[in-house]
Amino acid sequence: MVININAVAFSPVSNEIESGDEDDWVVSTRTVDIDDRVMGIFVGYLTRVINKEDNGKVTVGHFSNGTDGDNDAGDQTQERLDRILDLDLDGENSSDYTEFEDLSESLKNRLITHMDGRTSRGYLFTIQAVNAGEPFVGILKLDVVESEERPILDRDTRQLEYEEIENAFPPTDDLQKGCTYPIFDPLNDDNVFNLDGDVKFLQEDSNSEYFEEFMGCVTSSGSREQSQTILNGLSGIKQEQDGTVLYPDEVQDVRTTIQGTDGVADGGTVHEAAEQALGEDYDEDEVDEMLYEEGETEVQI
């Protein structure tokens, strides 16, 4: 994997930021120099998101359904990301930089509307980059990890200083919230992630719905967690029906059914496994309701 960053835009984010106040700004590499050491930190973050294996810290976003009751949310966000992919940002004098900053500001404003008093102040980074010749957009929401409250950026120059960034932002392995668009081809030998979707989310600190919702995605969990959630759900149905749970051999039968489809299962495969496990008590609507209640309507195992 070889990641090259073409451009970075960044700004403070908090539910307390209002239009026109001193923290309402967006700058980019058009006006702010970022040295190679700082770029290396962000290459590390992006590599972490792309390479992270399918587990409970990973979710997959789908733009096809919208979110927040706003059917246009996903379309609008995807249009912004697609436009960022198309911008020519290889040089500092590129005329596309103004649009890049405008698109980054619109993403920043959208994120702020999804934050509340429980969410941490931080910085949003919008990054246009290339991975082994394939362009992608990286979005990082980084919170300052220092206990004392102080700005990590010079208010006048907005410079990203290596010593301050290294001490203020989390180590690569503790990346708080990040996502990449699009998801890279699972046939790429350097990429161990193999789920289909539009956006790959990684949240090492906690799974915060607001970060996924601001992207306008309907999300589903990584397949390992999803598989266990579905097994637990089927066992719960069985317990409601006859007071028992799935026995180990029945659990294994479900796993075998799923693995029998070349290791990839969708909703239809789950219903096939459910019918096998529940027998004559199987009810398609009941299984669909369980998947909905568990937040697993998008099945990819």
Side-chain angles (χ1 to χ4, degrees):
M1 173 180 295
V2 179
I3 291 178
N4 294 306
I5 293 177
N6 293 330
V8 179
F10 54 96
S11 58
V13 286
S14 166
N15 73 306
E16 298 174 350
I17 294 177
E18 297 181 358
S19 178
D21 69 22
E22 64 179 2
D23 285 328
D24 180 30
W25 52 263
V26 174
V27 297
S28 75
T29 41
R30 177 175 63 89
T31 56
V32 175
D33 292 330
I34 301 180
D35 67 29
D36 290 342
R37 295 183 302 167
V38 174
M39 281 296 192
I41 293 175
F42 290 100
V43 168
Y45 287 145
L46 296 174
T47 301
R48 178 73 172 173
V49 178
I50 292 171
N51 275 353
K52 184 66 175 178
E53 295 185 25
D54 167 20
N55 66 7
K57 302 292 187 180
V58 172
T59 51
V60 185
H62 310 267
F63 279 128
S64 57
N65 297 307
T67 190
D68 297 330
D70 180 0
N71 291 331
D72 295 329
D75 289 342
Q76 292 173 355
T77 303
Q78 189 171 23
E79 287 175 3
R80 293 185 184 106
L81 298 179
D82 284 335
R83 183 54 189 153
I84 291 174
L85 287 177
D86 290 338
L87 296 177
D88 178 10
L89 301 173
D90 286 338
E92 294 180 3
N93 297 323
S94 169
S95 60
D96 285 354
Y97 254 107
T98 299
E99 185 173 1
F100 177 54
E101 292 172 355
D102 289 343
L103 292 166
S104 300
E105 182 172 21
S106 69
L107 289 172
K108 180 261 294 186
N109 291 336
R110 178 170 170 80
L111 176 59
I112 288 175
T113 64
H114 283 76
M115 300 174 71
D116 59 29
R118 297 169 298 175
T119 57
S120 302
R121 295 177 61 93
Y123 291 86
L124 182 70
F125 291 82
T126 303
I127 303 171
Q128 189 209 62
V130 177
N131 174 28
E134 295 294 326
F136 72 99
V137 178
I139 306 290
L140 306 173
K141 193 259 183 174
L142 303 177
D143 303 333
V144 178
V145 298
E146 292 179 323
S147 58
E148 62 184 30
E149 287 291 333
R150 71 177 182 83
I152 66 165
L153 304 177
D154 185 287
R155 291 189 181 278
D156 296 322
T157 66
R158 318 296 192 200
Q159 291 293 331
L160 295 174
E161 300 293 342
Y162 177 76
E163 289 76 12
E164 291 183 341
I165 295 300
E166 184 183 40
N167 293 327
F169 285 155
T172 300
D173 289 349
D174 296 329
L175 173 64
Q176 293 148 339
K177 303 184 189 304
C179 64
T180 54
Y181 168 86
I183 293 177
F184 286 95
D185 186 349
L187 297 179
N188 183 342
D189 292 339
D190 292 332
N191 179 19
V192 296
F193 188 72
N194 61 359
L195 296 182
D196 292 330
D198 298 311
V199 178
K200 180 182 180 182
F201 290 92
L202 172 61
Q203 301 192 63
E204 289 286 0
D205 54 350
S206 62
N207 190 356
S208 302
E209 293 183 359
Y210 80 88
F211 184 68
E212 299 168 352
E213 290 174 350
F214 111 88
M215 290 291 287
C217 289
V218 173
T219 58
S220 58
S221 62
S223 65
R224 293 178 186 174
E225 181 183 13
Q226 189 174 68
S227 177
Q228 189 59 50
T229 299
I230 290 171
L231 282 169
N232 292 342
L234 293 177
S235 191
I237 291 175
K238 186 169 179 61
Q239 189 169 33
E240 290 180 0
Q241 290 174 343
D242 59 18
T244 67
V245 296
L246 293 178
Y247 295 110
D249 58 337
E250 293 173 320
V251 171
Q252 186 56 49
D253 287 343
V254 171
R255 294 189 188 279
T256 300
T257 298
I258 293 174
Q259 292 171 354
T261 60
D262 296 326
V264 179
D266 56 14
T269 310
V270 169
H271 276 282
E272 180 183 346
E275 185 173 11
Q276 180 179 353
L278 301 174
E280 61 183 14
D281 293 325
Y282 163 75
D283 182 278
E284 180 179 356
D285 292 336
E286 189 174 21
V287 174
D288 279 335
E289 183 178 356
M290 178 273 291
L291 293 173
Y292 176 79
E293 290 177 351
E294 296 293 341
E296 303 293 2
T297 54
E298 293 280 352
V299 178
Q300 297 181 96
I301 297 177

